[in-house]
Amino acid sequence: MLKKRLKSYDYSILVVYLLVSIFGLIMVYSASMVTAIQLYDLSSTYFFYRQLINLLIAIVAFVFAAIIPYKKLKSTGFIQLIFFGSIVVLMFVLFMGSNVNNATSWLRVGVRNIQPAEFVKLGTIIYLSAVYAKKQPYINDFNKGVIPPIVFLVFVTFLIVLQPDLGTAAIVFSTGMLIVFCSGMNWKNLGRLLLLGAIFIAVFSPLILWKHDDIFTEERMGRLYSFRDPFKYEVDEGLQLVNSYLALGSGGWSGVGLGKSIQKLGFLPEAHTDFIMAIIAEELGVFGVVFVILSLGYLILKGFYIGMKSKDPFGSLLAFGISGMIGIQMFINLGGVSGMIPITGVTLPFISYGGSSLFILSLSLGLLMNISSYANLEHERNNKSTIENKKSR
């Protein structure tokens, strides 16, 4: 049984995961060595060793998620834990969290900071996938089958917006709506849902902005203005995007060389986190950028393929949600770095520095590999059954 299970895994996911994560570790070292010395008066390897520890923990999480029976995640007790735990921890962050970069998104646990919203991202995917899988017999009942899980999605998104962390809120909500779209409900209910969403936004947005005017601070509005014309604001709000452009334009096809970036010498803020792709483009050129996009693109497309292949509604929705989360996060990060969309502070999956993000993404990818394994075993059993039926005739 163990041998059969080991053969059923799609090891291409593991290979690409390790390649892109190790590449990210190398780029974190390259992008952060100067920052560690200049800003924190620390060793140039400070962020490298911290990210190495993050990666080792993340690999353990990946392996754990790949071997557990994933269907146990849809148990009533675990789903209730996600439901209440997500709400409680997000409310706790609002009152007791640490403020980093003008967002109260972090909790101090021992000697490390963790970002609970990252855990809520995966928790929301599991919750929605489990609930909509159970509601398949009456998925087209709008009041009973569609609305209740969306109330949870809107509420946790609202709590993340209040931190305010608009980038993570966008990922959580967009991923959740992708799962809703893939749940099997008819087009009529999807249309009603869109209409209800538009009415909700029109009615409650002014009230939220009036009660919480700190969501759109001068700095955040400056990011919006600078996104439209960064060179007009190049000494303040547009500084990050202008220097990102300089990095992107300096690399050419093959880059200036690993470790030889100019923009990381104090010119580009957050070079090892949100804007690490700019450093990759500068040091490794188009080849480095293409490697990252193709690697992440492969994981995303593989996830959607697994979702379509799986006959288990829970596994299928879970695969769609995980793939969508990675894809949406990748789009928001690259969109901010390239000036396509406003900067929101979202990290590049598996590449940027950060323990919480890497841990959750690794856990998610392990689950994806797990779902693939069960789908392959089921496919093999069905093939054997078909062959045996043909022989019996």
Side-chain angles (χ1 to χ4, degrees):
M1 183 63 183
L2 178 61
K3 185 178 180 181
K4 187 182 290 186
R5 181 74 197 280
L6 290 173
K7 285 179 65 177
S8 68
Y9 283 114
D10 187 339
Y11 289 99
S12 67
I13 296 174
L14 174 62
V15 170
V16 175
Y17 162 67
L18 290 176
L19 282 175
V20 76
S21 297
I22 293 170
F23 176 80
L25 180 64
I26 294 169
M27 291 312 304
V28 164
Y29 174 59
S30 177
S32 68
M33 58 171 74
V34 176
T35 303
I37 295 171
Q38 284 185 339
L39 299 184
Y40 300 101
D41 195 25
L42 300 166
S43 166
S44 62
T45 58
Y46 174 77
F47 290 108
F48 170 79
Y49 283 122
R50 287 177 68 90
Q51 188 68 353
L52 177 60
I53 294 170
N54 292 335
L55 179 57
L56 293 175
I57 295 171
I59 290 173
V60 173
F62 176 94
V63 173
F64 173 76
I67 62 176
I68 62 169
Y70 80 88
K71 293 183 181 181
K72 289 188 176 181
L73 297 177
K74 64 178 180 179
S75 66
T76 302
F78 189 71
I79 294 305
Q80 289 177 343
L81 178 63
I82 290 175
F83 182 90
F84 293 108
S86 298
I87 294 172
V88 169
V89 75
L90 288 176
M91 294 186 73
F92 186 78
V93 168
L94 291 176
F95 294 101
M96 303 296 293
S98 303
N99 190 293
V100 178
N101 293 331
N102 297 317
T104 308
S105 307
W106 301 83
L107 283 178
R108 189 73 175 175
V109 179
V111 296
R112 300 177 72 89
N113 283 325
I114 64 168
Q115 192 172 7
E118 290 290 334
F119 295 83
V120 172
K121 279 197 299 192
L122 179 57
T124 302
I125 291 171
I126 295 172
Y127 172 81
L128 292 175
S129 300
V131 171
Y132 280 120
K134 290 178 180 178
K135 289 178 179 289
Q136 287 302 302
Y138 50 92
I139 192 64
N140 286 318
D141 185 329
F142 190 73
N143 294 326
K144 186 179 178 183
V146 178
I147 289 297
I150 292 178
V151 174
F152 168 78
L153 174 63
V154 170
F155 188 60
V156 295
T157 301
F158 174 67
L159 291 177
I160 297 171
V161 168
L162 293 182
Q163 293 181 3
D165 185 350
L166 302 182
T168 302
I171 295 170
V172 170
F173 186 76
S174 300
T175 305
M177 292 310 297
L178 174 65
I179 295 173
V180 173
F181 181 80
C182 296
S183 66
M185 71 181 68
N186 58 36
W187 288 101
K188 180 182 177 181
N189 279 339
L190 285 172
R192 292 171 68 184
L193 196 58
L194 289 173
L195 179 61
L196 191 64
I199 294 172
F200 180 86
I201 292 171
V203 172
F204 287 97
S205 290
L207 179 63
I208 293 171
L209 294 177
W210 175 58
K211 288 289 186 179
H212 301 277
D213 56 356
D214 57 327
I215 292 176
F216 291 101
T217 60
E218 185 176 344
E219 180 184 355
R220 289 188 176 86
M221 293 306 296
R223 285 184 179 182
L224 182 61
Y225 298 143
S226 64
F227 144 74
R228 297 172 61 186
D229 187 2
F231 290 95
K232 184 178 179 181
Y233 303 91
E234 61 181 320
V235 297
D236 39 52
E237 287 88 356
L239 174 69
Q240 200 170 25
L241 189 53
V242 167
N243 282 285
S244 177
Y245 284 160
L246 293 174
L248 292 170
S250 301
W253 284 99
S254 57
V256 298
L258 185 63
K260 297 180 180 179
S261 165
I262 299 298
Q263 291 305 312
K264 71 182 181 185
L265 304 178
F267 298 104
L268 177 63
E270 309 296 341
H272 60 301
T273 55
D274 309 347
F275 276 75
I276 198 167
M277 182 57 101
I279 303 301
I280 293 171
E282 185 181 8
E283 295 190 347
L284 303 178
V286 173
F287 296 119
V289 173
V290 168
F291 169 77
V292 173
I293 292 175
L294 288 181
S295 297
L296 295 179
Y298 176 82
L299 294 175
I300 295 164
L301 293 176
K302 174 64 76 171
F304 281 113
Y305 172 76
I306 292 168
M308 290 186 288
K309 186 178 180 181
S310 176
K311 301 302 181 184
D312 171 37
F314 173 60
S316 181
L317 291 174
L318 195 57
F320 286 139
I322 290 169
S323 305
M325 175 184 69
I326 297 172
I328 293 165
Q329 183 167 335
M330 174 184 170
F331 170 76
I332 292 176
N333 176 269
L334 297 184
V337 170
S338 61
M340 291 175 57
I341 60 175
I343 299 167
T344 56
V346 168
T347 57
L348 183 61
F350 304 106
I351 305 290
S352 295
Y353 174 80
S356 297
S357 177
L358 183 60
F359 180 85
I360 289 302
L361 287 166
S362 300
L363 201 64
S364 302
L365 211 56
L367 285 174
L368 198 60
M369 193 169 171
N370 194 333
I371 298 165
S372 174
S373 170
Y374 277 94
N376 289 336
L377 288 172
E378 184 180 6
H379 183 69
E380 186 180 337
R381 282 194 298 267
N382 290 339
N383 285 343
K384 283 185 178 180
S385 178
T386 303
I387 293 171
E388 288 173 0
N389 288 336
K390 287 181 179 179
K391 285 181 178 180
S392 64
R393 290 176 186 174

